[in-house]
Structures are given as structure tokens and as C-alpha cells.
Amino acid sequence: MQCFQGKSVYKGIAMGPIVVLKKDDYQVKRTRIEDPEAEVKRVDAALEKSKEQLQKLYDKAVKEVGEASAAIFEVHQMMLEDDDYLEAIQNTICTEQVNAEYAVATTGDNFAEMFASMDDDYMKARSADIKDISERLVRNLSGQEDTDLSSIDPSVIVADDLSPSETVQMDKDKILAFVTVHGSTNSHTAILARMMNIPALIGVPMDLDELKTGMTVVVDGFEGTVTFDPDEEIKAQTEKRMEEEAEKLRLLQELKGKENVTLDGHKINIYANIGSVGDIGYVLENDAGGIGLFRSEFLYLGRNDFPTEEEQFQAYKQAVQMMAGKKVIIRTLDIGADKQVDYFNLGNEDNPALGYRAIRICLTQPDIFKTQLRALLRAAVYGNLSIMYPMITSTEEVKKIYEIVAEVEAELKEQEIQYKLPEQGIMIETPAAAIISDKLAEMVDFFSIGTNDLTQYTLALDRQNAKLDDFYNPHHEAILRMIQMVVDNAHKCGKWAGICGELGADATLTEQFVRMGVDELSVAPSMILKLRKIVREMKKVED
């Protein structure tokens, strides 16, 4: 029996046989060639085949995990069209007179190393993407087929790391859990695991050569442990815990259709956070009262140019129509920081989290902002849509936003285009906004507290820096005091205040938030019923 500690990506418990996935030991050999042009043509053919494969993976991912999580395969297709990457491959072939496989592998290694050495966490994560597309190209050049992961029996997948393409090929109904040696909590594979509700551990210091496919394993996502070849006592304990978890899930399903009301009659709204229209199925499946955060930036990711007004209008319109009268709060563009898009030409920044991002882009590039606002005001006609502006730090920013909104209204009216001015709120995710929330509450319709950024800015701590995990404390008294201040200031002006950051899904704080007067919690769809259970079993006013 061997037990290892890892980092949990998705909490849950599973037991079953393992499938050990190892990368093929295919060695790319350097071969001198006489016809560089023929090698370049081979690369072109492999590129087309790779794009076709990625399109199929994208289509499969959209159906299973939604558009937001599937966008990585569009990003991979874009990477295969990157001029710098392709020119480097061609240059290696022609100047060194080497075979295509070697040129692709060398270029992939060089680009991956370059991204891995960057300070920005988003760019570091692209290193794995470069490796993934380069390995795909090499496989297609050498005639290797993709590993067939669709026909495995129900198993725990154990690997050094998993690429998004490997993850999506799997039949999610047959995946009991993921366990990997490497990977990060912000990787695409981790995101897919969370969307699939599959227990997953990363950073497990196991030796794959010592493991054999078929051996039994227990994966405990709650404790972050994995036990290979467990003894009978641990197996019995695990079976009992799995039964308990299954019963909890069954009981949670009985809460569908029930209200989020405390024992003493206080109601709180529990909404869902989503990244695209494709995720609304999860919202409806989990009986959310509405959408508290629609991340509109996903419309801008995975493409070569800005989405048009019509594209955005159709997405927003579809969202509000599908929610059939329930509130849909759409956050305006929040590009920058950890979400970079090449065609915005934002440039490199020493500290992007404190840089040119979100509302700062919108206010300095009003044409981009106006396109989105036109689409939002037009879509508001078709349902219960609200607009939310991110990264606010001053009343002056709100005034400037309203001036631009007024210009958009005037344009739509003059063009005789049907529109509606919806409820407008702001995100409180900077200490500045929290401290002047009394002034801001007089100007807006609601607050939504973004605890992820509020925590990192308040604690002066990069939340994506793994070295600082021991210092990152979202329960810090300063954070909770700020939340209380924001809620109180909103209520003094007759406005409502919610939480849409990760802290909203922290079940250990749910009762405290209700007693603080928080009006709404917006969380991942899978957390809706869990929070409803807590609310319905508590009293707002303690005896």
C-alpha cells in the first residue's frame, strides 16, 4: 500500500482500477534531407490534419463541458496558425536541411521553454499548449494515431500530466478521477475536471513506472490524498464514504424547486457563475435562481478579431431567453491580467494584475466598449438582463461609463433600433471601491463583490503565485470587514449587494454571509444546491 499527498483540483472521492497513461517513447531523430520544400509541404499537410482533429475535439467538448471550457481547442488551432511558430519550423528545415519531425520538435521545445520562463502565469500556462500542439504535429508527421481514450472501462486516470485534448477524448461517464504528477490548478485540464465534476489531484509525487494498469486506488479529493493498493479496511471505509456522498447528492436533488429561505423566513438569492451560453445547461440542471456572473470576455477569447455587435447580441439574447425571465447579470469585458488576447495588442506589463485591464480598456478604447454596450442594450429587450462593470475604483469612472451609455442610447434611438436600458451595477473588487462604497451606492443599482481580486489587492498578494499559498487567507478579518461595509452601504441606499467571487461558494462562510445581510451569492452551478441546503437549515438571527 502506498499513499501520496497531492493538491486537490476538485473535491470528491473515488475508488477503482487505474489506467496508467504514459507518453509514447517515440524519439524524434534528426535526419538530413535533400528536398526542404518537400518537408515544408509535409508540415502543411500535418497542419491541416491537426486542425481537423482539433475541430472534432472542440465540437465534442462543446457538447460535454460548454463553450468556455472548449475554447482551448480554438486557441490551439490559432497557435497552429501563428506566423512566428510556423516560420521558425520552416527556417529550421531550410537552413539546417533537417526533417520536418525534428524541426517541429525543436521549435516546440524552444517556444515552450520561452513561455515557461516568463513571469506572467497566463503565459507560463501556454507552455503546455505549445507542447501539446507540437506533439500533435509530430504524431501526424510520423503517422502515429491519437491514443484512443474513448473505450476504456470505468477507471482512475493516472499520468505524468494530461493535455486538454487527451482529457476531452475520454468518455467522462467512465472517468472516476484524475491523478497527475504535474499540472496546475489553473490549467485547462483542471478546469475541465471541475466542469465534469470529476475528482482530481495534481502534484502527486508518484513513480509511474511502479504503477500498473488495473491496480486499485482510492482518490480522496477532500483530503488531497491518493492510496494505491489500499488494504481491506481502507476499501471498506471508502465504500462507506462513497455511499454517504451519493446519499448527500440524492438528498440535494430533492431541494430542486425549493426556495433559499432560512428557518426564520429570510430569503437569499443563489445564482450561478458561467462563461458562455453553452454553460446555461448546468445552470438549469442545478436549479439556479439566475445568473449572477456571465463572463462576457469568453466571447473575445479563442479568435483572431473582435466579436461583432451582432455576434454579441445573439449570445446575450439567447442567454436571457433561455433563462426565461430569471435575472442574467452580464459583466462587461474583463480582458487583461490573466486573460490575454493577442489582437487587443495590450503589450507586456511588469504587473498585469495592477495594469491595463477591464474597465480601463473600455474607457480608453470606447469603440470596443460601445459595441458591447449596443449589443447589451438591444438584448435587454428580450429578458431580465443586468449589466455589471468590473474593476471600478472611483465615482469618476462610473460617471464616464454613464456618459458613454448615454451616447449609445442616443445612437440606437436615432437609428430606430429597439433597446432597453437595464439595471446597472458594479463589481467591488478593489479596496478603493470598498472604502468609497457609500458614494458608489448612490450611483448604481447594485454591488457584486469580487472576492478573488479584492483578497489579493487587500493582502498585497498574488493569488496565482503558488509560493504564497500559505499566506493567502480569504478569511482574513480585513476581507470580511470590507464585505460587511459594502453590504451596509448598499442597504443604506436601498440597493442590494451580492458576492460572485470564489468566497461565495465557501460553505464554511455561508451562514456568516447570510447574517451579514448579503443578498445574493453567485457560485459555480455545482454549488447551488449545497448552499441552498445550508440556508434552509439555518436561522438568520441566532437564538
Coordinates of all heavy atoms in Angstrom, one line a residue, residues 191-263:
I191 N -9.6 22.9 -15.2 CA -10.9 23.5 -15.4 C -11.9 22.5 -16.0 O -13.0 22.4 -15.6 CB -10.7 24.7 -16.4 CG1 -9.9 25.8 -15.8 CG2 -12.1 25.2 -16.9 CD1 -9.4 26.8 -16.7
L192 N -11.4 21.6 -16.9 CA -12.3 20.6 -17.5 C -12.7 19.6 -16.4 O -13.9 19.2 -16.4 CB -11.6 19.9 -18.6 CG -11.4 20.6 -19.9 CD1 -10.4 19.8 -20.8 CD2 -12.7 20.9 -20.6
A193 N -11.8 19.3 -15.5 CA -12.2 18.3 -14.4 C -13.2 18.9 -13.5 O -14.2 18.2 -13.1 CB -10.9 18.0 -13.6
R194 N -13.1 20.2 -13.2 CA -14.2 20.8 -12.4 C -15.5 20.9 -13.1 O -16.5 20.7 -12.5 CB -13.7 22.2 -12.0 CG -12.6 22.2 -10.9 CD -12.3 23.6 -10.3 NE -11.6 24.5 -11.2 CZ -10.3 24.6 -11.2 NH1 -9.6 24.0 -10.4 NH2 -9.8 25.5 -12.1
M195 N -15.5 21.2 -14.4 CA -16.7 21.3 -15.2 C -17.4 19.9 -15.3 O -18.6 19.8 -15.3 CB -16.4 21.8 -16.6 CG -16.1 23.3 -16.6 SD -17.5 24.3 -16.0 CE -18.7 24.0 -17.2
M196 N -16.5 18.8 -15.3 CA -17.0 17.5 -15.4 C -17.4 16.9 -14.1 O -18.0 15.8 -14.0 CB -16.0 16.5 -16.1 CG -15.7 16.8 -17.5 SD -14.3 15.7 -18.1 CE -14.5 15.8 -19.9
N197 N -17.1 17.6 -13.0 CA -17.4 17.2 -11.6 C -16.7 15.9 -11.4 O -17.2 14.9 -10.8 CB -18.9 16.9 -11.4 CG -19.7 18.3 -11.4 OD1 -19.1 19.3 -11.4 ND2 -21.0 18.2 -11.5
I198 N -15.4 15.8 -11.8 CA -14.6 14.6 -11.6 C -13.5 14.9 -10.6 O -12.7 15.8 -10.7 CB -13.9 14.2 -12.9 CG1 -15.0 13.8 -14.0 CG2 -12.9 13.0 -12.7 CD1 -14.4 13.5 -15.4
P199 N -13.4 14.1 -9.5 CA -12.3 14.3 -8.5 C -11.0 14.3 -9.2 O -10.7 13.5 -10.1 CB -12.5 13.1 -7.6 CG -13.9 12.7 -7.7 CD -14.3 12.9 -9.1
A200 N -10.1 15.2 -8.8 CA -8.8 15.3 -9.5 C -7.8 15.8 -8.5 O -8.0 16.7 -7.7 CB -8.9 16.2 -10.7
L201 N -6.6 15.2 -8.6 CA -5.4 15.6 -7.8 C -4.3 15.9 -8.8 O -4.1 15.2 -9.7 CB -5.0 14.5 -6.8 CG -5.9 14.0 -5.7 CD1 -5.3 13.0 -4.9 CD2 -6.4 15.2 -4.9
I202 N -3.5 16.9 -8.4 CA -2.3 17.2 -9.2 C -1.1 17.3 -8.2 O -1.3 17.3 -7.0 CB -2.4 18.6 -10.0 CG1 -2.6 19.7 -9.0 CG2 -3.5 18.5 -11.0 CD1 -2.6 21.1 -9.6
G203 N 0.1 17.3 -8.8 CA 1.3 17.4 -7.9 C 1.5 16.2 -7.0 O 2.0 16.4 -5.9
V204 N 1.1 15.1 -7.5 CA 1.3 13.8 -6.7 C 2.7 13.2 -7.0 O 3.0 12.9 -8.1 CB 0.2 12.8 -7.0 CG1 0.4 11.5 -6.2 CG2 -1.2 13.4 -6.7
P205 N 3.6 13.1 -6.0 CA 4.9 12.6 -6.2 C 5.1 11.1 -6.4 O 5.8 10.4 -5.7 CB 5.7 13.1 -5.0 CG 4.7 13.1 -3.9 CD 3.4 13.5 -4.6
M206 N 4.4 10.6 -7.4 CA 4.3 9.1 -7.6 C 5.3 8.7 -8.7 O 5.5 9.6 -9.6 CB 2.9 8.6 -7.9 CG 2.3 9.4 -9.0 SD 0.5 9.0 -9.2 CE 0.1 10.2 -10.5
D207 N 5.7 7.5 -8.7 CA 6.6 7.0 -9.8 C 5.7 6.1 -10.7 O 5.3 5.0 -10.4 CB 7.7 6.2 -9.2 CG 8.7 5.7 -10.3 OD1 8.4 5.8 -11.5 OD2 9.8 5.3 -9.9
L208 N 5.5 6.6 -11.9 CA 4.6 5.9 -12.8 C 5.1 4.5 -13.2 O 4.3 3.6 -13.5 CB 4.3 6.7 -14.1 CG 3.6 8.1 -13.9 CD1 3.4 8.7 -15.3 CD2 2.3 7.9 -13.2
D209 N 6.4 4.4 -13.2 CA 7.0 3.1 -13.6 C 6.7 2.0 -12.5 O 6.8 0.8 -12.8 CB 8.5 3.2 -13.7 CG 8.9 4.0 -14.9 OD1 8.1 4.0 -15.9 OD2 9.9 4.7 -14.9
E210 N 6.3 2.4 -11.3 CA 6.0 1.4 -10.3 C 4.5 1.1 -10.2 O 4.1 0.2 -9.5 CB 6.4 2.0 -8.9 CG 7.9 2.2 -8.7 CD 8.2 2.7 -7.3 OE1 7.3 3.0 -6.5 OE2 9.4 2.9 -7.1
L211 N 3.7 1.7 -11.1 CA 2.3 1.5 -11.1 C 1.9 0.7 -12.3 O 2.5 0.8 -13.4 CB 1.5 2.9 -11.1 CG 1.9 3.8 -10.0 CD1 1.1 5.1 -10.2 CD2 1.5 3.2 -8.6
K212 N 0.9 -0.1 -12.1 CA 0.4 -1.0 -13.2 C -1.1 -0.8 -13.4 O -1.8 -0.7 -12.5 CB 0.7 -2.5 -12.9 CG 2.2 -2.8 -12.8 CD 2.4 -4.3 -12.5 CE 3.9 -4.6 -12.5 NZ 4.1 -6.1 -12.2
T213 N -1.4 -0.7 -14.7 CA -2.8 -0.6 -15.1 C -3.6 -1.7 -14.5 O -3.2 -2.9 -14.6 CB -3.0 -0.6 -16.6 OG1 -2.4 0.7 -17.1 CG2 -4.5 -0.6 -17.0
G214 N -4.7 -1.4 -13.8 CA -5.6 -2.4 -13.2 C -5.5 -2.5 -11.7 O -6.4 -3.0 -11.1
M215 N -4.4 -1.9 -11.1 CA -4.3 -2.0 -9.7 C -5.4 -1.0 -9.1 O -5.8 0.0 -9.7 CB -2.9 -1.6 -9.2 CG -2.4 -0.2 -9.5 SD -0.6 0.0 -9.2 CE -0.4 -0.5 -7.5
T216 N -5.8 -1.3 -7.9 CA -6.9 -0.5 -7.2 C -6.3 0.8 -6.6 O -5.2 0.7 -6.1 CB -7.6 -1.3 -6.2 OG1 -8.2 -2.5 -6.8 CG2 -8.7 -0.5 -5.5
V217 N -7.1 1.8 -6.6 CA -6.6 3.1 -6.0 C -7.8 3.8 -5.3 O -9.0 3.6 -5.8 CB -6.0 4.0 -7.0 CG1 -7.0 4.6 -8.0 CG2 -5.3 5.2 -6.4
V218 N -7.5 4.5 -4.3 CA -8.5 5.4 -3.6 C -8.1 6.8 -3.8 O -6.9 7.2 -3.4 CB -8.7 5.1 -2.1 CG1 -9.5 6.1 -1.4 CG2 -9.3 3.7 -1.9
V219 N -8.9 7.7 -4.4 CA -8.6 9.1 -4.6 C -9.5 9.9 -3.7 O -10.8 9.8 -3.8 CB -8.8 9.5 -6.0 CG1 -8.5 11.0 -6.2 CG2 -8.0 8.7 -7.0
D220 N -8.9 10.6 -2.8 CA -9.7 11.4 -1.8 C -9.4 12.9 -2.1 O -8.4 13.5 -1.7 CB -9.3 11.1 -0.4 CG -10.2 11.8 0.7 OD1 -10.8 12.8 0.3 OD2 -10.2 11.3 1.8
G221 N -10.4 13.5 -2.8 CA -10.2 14.9 -3.2 C -10.5 15.9 -2.1 O -10.1 17.0 -2.1
F222 N -11.1 15.4 -1.0 CA -11.3 16.2 0.2 C -10.0 16.4 1.0 O -9.7 17.5 1.4 CB -12.4 15.6 1.1 CG -13.7 15.5 0.4 CD1 -14.2 14.3 -0.1 CD2 -14.6 16.6 0.3 CE1 -15.4 14.2 -0.7 CE2 -15.8 16.5 -0.3 CZ -16.2 15.3 -0.8
E223 N -9.3 15.3 1.1 CA -8.0 15.4 1.9 C -6.8 15.6 1.0 O -5.7 15.8 1.4 CB -7.8 14.1 2.7 CG -8.9 13.8 3.7 CD -9.0 14.8 4.8 OE1 -7.9 15.4 5.1 OE2 -10.1 15.1 5.3
G224 N -7.0 15.4 -0.4 CA -5.9 15.6 -1.3 C -4.9 14.4 -1.3 O -3.7 14.6 -1.5
T225 N -5.5 13.2 -1.0 CA -4.6 12.0 -0.9 C -5.0 11.0 -2.0 O -6.1 10.9 -2.4 CB -4.7 11.4 0.5 OG1 -6.0 11.0 0.7 CG2 -4.2 12.4 1.5
V226 N -4.0 10.2 -2.3 CA -4.3 9.0 -3.2 C -3.6 7.8 -2.6 O -2.4 7.9 -2.2 CB -3.8 9.3 -4.7 CG1 -2.3 9.7 -4.7 CG2 -4.0 8.1 -5.6
T227 N -4.3 6.7 -2.5 CA -3.7 5.5 -1.9 C -3.8 4.3 -3.0 O -4.9 4.0 -3.4 CB -4.5 5.1 -0.7 OG1 -4.5 6.2 0.2 CG2 -3.9 3.9 0.0
F228 N -2.6 3.8 -3.3 CA -2.5 2.7 -4.3 C -2.5 1.4 -3.5 O -1.9 1.3 -2.4 CB -1.3 2.8 -5.1 CG -1.3 4.0 -6.0 CD1 -0.6 5.2 -5.7 CD2 -2.0 4.0 -7.2 CE1 -0.6 6.3 -6.5 CE2 -2.0 5.1 -8.1 CZ -1.3 6.3 -7.7
D229 N -3.2 0.4 -4.0 CA -3.3 -0.9 -3.4 C -3.7 -0.8 -1.9 O -3.0 -1.3 -1.0 CB -2.0 -1.7 -3.5 CG -1.9 -2.5 -4.7 OD1 -2.9 -2.8 -5.3 OD2 -0.7 -2.8 -5.1
P230 N -4.9 -0.2 -1.7 CA -5.4 0.0 -0.3 C -5.7 -1.3 0.3 O -6.1 -2.3 -0.3 CB -6.6 0.9 -0.5 CG -7.1 0.6 -1.8 CD -5.9 0.3 -2.7
D231 N -5.6 -1.4 1.7 CA -5.9 -2.6 2.4 C -7.4 -2.7 2.5 O -8.2 -1.8 2.2 CB -5.2 -2.7 3.7 CG -5.6 -1.6 4.6 OD1 -6.7 -1.0 4.5 OD2 -4.7 -1.2 5.5
E232 N -7.9 -3.8 3.0 CA -9.4 -4.1 3.1 C -10.1 -3.1 4.0 O -11.2 -2.7 3.7 CB -9.7 -5.5 3.6 CG -9.2 -6.6 2.6 CD -9.8 -6.4 1.2 OE1 -11.1 -6.1 1.1 OE2 -9.1 -6.6 0.2
E233 N -9.4 -2.6 5.0 CA -10.0 -1.7 5.9 C -10.3 -0.3 5.2 O -11.4 0.3 5.4 CB -9.1 -1.5 7.2 CG -9.7 -0.5 8.2 CD -8.8 -0.3 9.4 OE1 -7.8 -1.0 9.5 OE2 -9.2 0.5 10.3
I234 N -9.3 0.1 4.5 CA -9.4 1.4 3.8 C -10.5 1.3 2.7 O -11.3 2.2 2.5 CB -8.1 1.9 3.2 CG1 -7.1 2.3 4.3 CG2 -8.3 3.0 2.2 CD1 -5.8 2.7 3.8
K235 N -10.5 0.1 2.0 CA -11.5 -0.1 1.0 C -12.9 0.0 1.6 O -13.8 0.6 1.0 CB -11.4 -1.5 0.3 CG -10.2 -1.6 -0.6 CD -10.2 -3.0 -1.3 CE -9.0 -3.1 -2.2 NZ -9.0 -4.5 -2.8
A236 N -13.1 -0.6 2.7 CA -14.4 -0.6 3.4 C -14.8 0.8 3.8 O -16.0 1.2 3.7 CB -14.4 -1.6 4.6
Q237 N -13.8 1.5 4.4 CA -14.1 2.9 4.8 C -14.5 3.8 3.6 O -15.4 4.6 3.7 CB -12.8 3.5 5.5 CG -12.5 2.9 6.8 CD -11.2 3.4 7.4 OE1 -10.4 4.1 6.7 NE2 -10.9 3.0 8.6
T238 N -13.7 3.5 2.5 CA -14.0 4.3 1.3 C -15.4 4.0 0.7 O -16.1 5.0 0.3 CB -12.9 4.0 0.2 OG1 -11.6 4.3 0.8 CG2 -13.2 4.9 -1.0
E239 N -15.8 2.8 0.7 CA -17.1 2.4 0.2 C -18.2 3.1 1.0 O -19.2 3.6 0.5 CB -17.3 0.9 0.2 CG -16.5 0.2 -0.9 CD -16.6 -1.3 -0.8 OE1 -17.2 -1.8 0.1 OE2 -16.1 -2.0 -1.7
K240 N -18.0 3.1 2.3 CA -18.9 3.8 3.2 C -19.0 5.3 2.9 O -20.1 5.8 2.8 CB -18.6 3.5 4.7 CG -19.6 4.1 5.6 CD -19.2 3.8 7.1 CE -20.2 4.4 8.1 NZ -19.8 4.2 9.5
R241 N -17.9 5.9 2.7 CA -17.9 7.4 2.4 C -18.5 7.6 1.1 O -19.2 8.6 0.9 CB -16.4 7.9 2.5 CG -15.9 8.0 3.9 CD -14.5 8.6 3.9 NE -14.5 9.9 3.3 CZ -13.4 10.6 2.9 NH1 -12.2 10.0 3.0 NH2 -13.5 11.9 2.5
M242 N -18.2 6.8 0.1 CA -18.8 7.0 -1.3 C -20.3 6.8 -1.2 O -21.1 7.6 -1.8 CB -18.2 5.9 -2.2 CG -16.8 6.2 -2.6 SD -16.0 4.9 -3.6 CE -17.0 5.0 -5.1
E243 N -20.8 5.9 -0.4 CA -22.3 5.8 -0.2 C -22.8 7.0 0.5 O -23.9 7.5 0.1 CB -22.6 4.5 0.7 CG -22.3 3.2 0.0 CD -22.5 2.0 0.9 OE1 -22.8 2.2 2.1 OE2 -22.2 0.9 0.5
E244 N -22.1 7.6 1.4 CA -22.6 8.8 2.1 C -22.6 10.0 1.2 O -23.6 10.8 1.2 CB -21.6 9.1 3.3 CG -21.8 8.1 4.5 CD -20.7 8.3 5.5 OE1 -19.8 9.1 5.3 OE2 -20.7 7.7 6.6
E245 N -21.6 10.1 0.3 CA -21.6 11.2 -0.6 C -22.7 11.0 -1.7 O -23.3 12.0 -2.1 CB -20.2 11.2 -1.4 CG -19.0 11.7 -0.5 CD -19.2 13.1 0.0 OE1 -19.7 14.0 -0.8 OE2 -19.0 13.3 1.2
A246 N -22.9 9.8 -2.1 CA -24.0 9.5 -3.1 C -25.4 9.9 -2.4 O -26.2 10.5 -3.1 CB -24.0 8.1 -3.5
E247 N -25.5 9.6 -1.2 CA -26.8 9.9 -0.5 C -26.9 11.4 -0.3 O -28.0 12.0 -0.5 CB -26.8 9.3 0.9 CG -28.0 9.6 1.8 CD -29.3 9.0 1.2 OE1 -29.3 8.3 0.2 OE2 -30.4 9.4 1.7
K248 N -25.8 12.1 0.0 CA -25.9 13.6 0.0 C -26.3 14.2 -1.3 O -27.2 15.1 -1.3 CB -24.5 14.1 0.4 CG -24.1 13.9 1.9 CD -22.7 14.5 2.1 CE -22.2 14.2 3.5 NZ -20.8 14.7 3.7
L249 N -25.8 13.7 -2.4 CA -26.2 14.2 -3.7 C -27.6 13.9 -4.0 O -28.3 14.7 -4.5 CB -25.3 13.5 -4.8 CG -23.8 14.0 -4.8 CD1 -23.1 13.2 -5.9 CD2 -23.8 15.4 -5.2
R250 N -28.1 12.7 -3.6 CA -29.5 12.3 -3.8 C -30.4 13.3 -3.0 O -31.4 13.8 -3.5 CB -29.8 10.9 -3.4 CG -31.2 10.4 -3.7 CD -31.5 9.1 -3.1 NE -31.6 9.1 -1.7 CZ -32.6 9.6 -1.0 NH1 -33.7 10.1 -1.7 NH2 -32.6 9.6 0.3
L251 N -30.0 13.6 -1.8 CA -30.9 14.5 -0.9 C -30.8 15.9 -1.5 O -31.8 16.6 -1.4 CB -30.3 14.4 0.5 CG -30.6 13.1 1.3 CD1 -29.9 13.2 2.6 CD2 -32.1 12.9 1.5
L252 N -29.7 16.3 -2.0 CA -29.6 17.6 -2.6 C -30.6 17.8 -3.8 O -31.2 18.8 -4.0 CB -28.2 17.9 -3.1 CG -27.1 18.2 -2.0 CD1 -25.8 18.4 -2.6 CD2 -27.5 19.5 -1.2
Q253 N -30.7 16.7 -4.6 CA -31.6 16.7 -5.7 C -33.1 17.0 -5.3 O -33.9 17.6 -6.0 CB -31.6 15.4 -6.5 CG -30.2 15.1 -7.2 CD -29.7 16.2 -8.1 OE1 -30.4 16.7 -9.0 NE2 -28.5 16.7 -7.8
E254 N -33.4 16.6 -4.1 CA -34.8 16.8 -3.6 C -35.0 18.3 -3.3 O -36.1 18.7 -3.0 CB -35.0 16.0 -2.3 CG -35.0 14.5 -2.6 CD -35.2 13.7 -1.3 OE1 -35.4 14.3 -0.2 OE2 -35.2 12.4 -1.4
L255 N -33.9 19.1 -3.2 CA -34.1 20.5 -2.9 C -34.4 21.3 -4.2 O -34.7 22.5 -4.1 CB -32.8 21.1 -2.3 CG -32.4 20.6 -0.9 CD1 -31.1 21.1 -0.5 CD2 -33.5 21.0 0.1
K256 N -34.4 20.7 -5.3 CA -34.7 21.4 -6.6 C -36.2 21.9 -6.5 O -37.1 21.2 -6.0 CB -34.6 20.5 -7.8 CG -33.1 20.2 -8.2 CD -33.0 19.4 -9.5 CE -31.6 19.3 -9.9 NZ -31.4 18.5 -11.1
G257 N -36.4 23.2 -6.9 CA -37.7 23.7 -6.8 C -38.0 24.4 -5.5 O -39.0 25.1 -5.4
K258 N -37.1 24.2 -4.5 CA -37.4 24.8 -3.2 C -36.7 26.2 -3.1 O -35.8 26.5 -3.9 CB -36.7 23.9 -2.1 CG -37.2 22.5 -2.1 CD -38.6 22.3 -1.5 CE -39.1 20.9 -1.5 NZ -38.3 20.0 -0.6
E259 N -37.2 27.0 -2.2 CA -36.7 28.4 -2.1 C -35.5 28.4 -1.2 O -35.3 27.5 -0.3 CB -37.7 29.3 -1.5 CG -38.8 29.7 -2.5 CD -39.7 30.8 -2.0 OE1 -40.3 30.7 -0.9 OE2 -39.7 31.8 -2.7
N260 N -34.6 29.4 -1.3 CA -33.5 29.6 -0.5 C -33.9 30.5 0.7 O -33.6 31.7 0.8 CB -32.4 30.3 -1.3 CG -32.1 29.6 -2.6 OD1 -31.9 28.4 -2.7 ND2 -32.1 30.4 -3.7
V261 N -34.6 29.9 1.6 CA -35.2 30.6 2.8 C -34.8 30.0 4.1 O -34.8 28.8 4.2 CB -36.7 30.6 2.7 CG1 -37.3 31.4 3.9 CG2 -37.2 31.3 1.4
T262 N -34.3 30.8 5.0 CA -33.9 30.3 6.3 C -35.1 29.9 7.1 O -36.2 30.2 6.8 CB -33.1 31.4 7.1 OG1 -34.0 32.5 7.3 CG2 -31.9 31.9 6.3
L263 N -34.8 29.2 8.2 CA -35.8 28.7 9.1 C -36.7 29.9 9.7 O -37.8 29.7 10.0 CB -35.2 27.9 10.3 CG -34.6 26.6 9.8 CD1 -33.8 26.0 11.0 CD2 -35.6 25.6 9.3

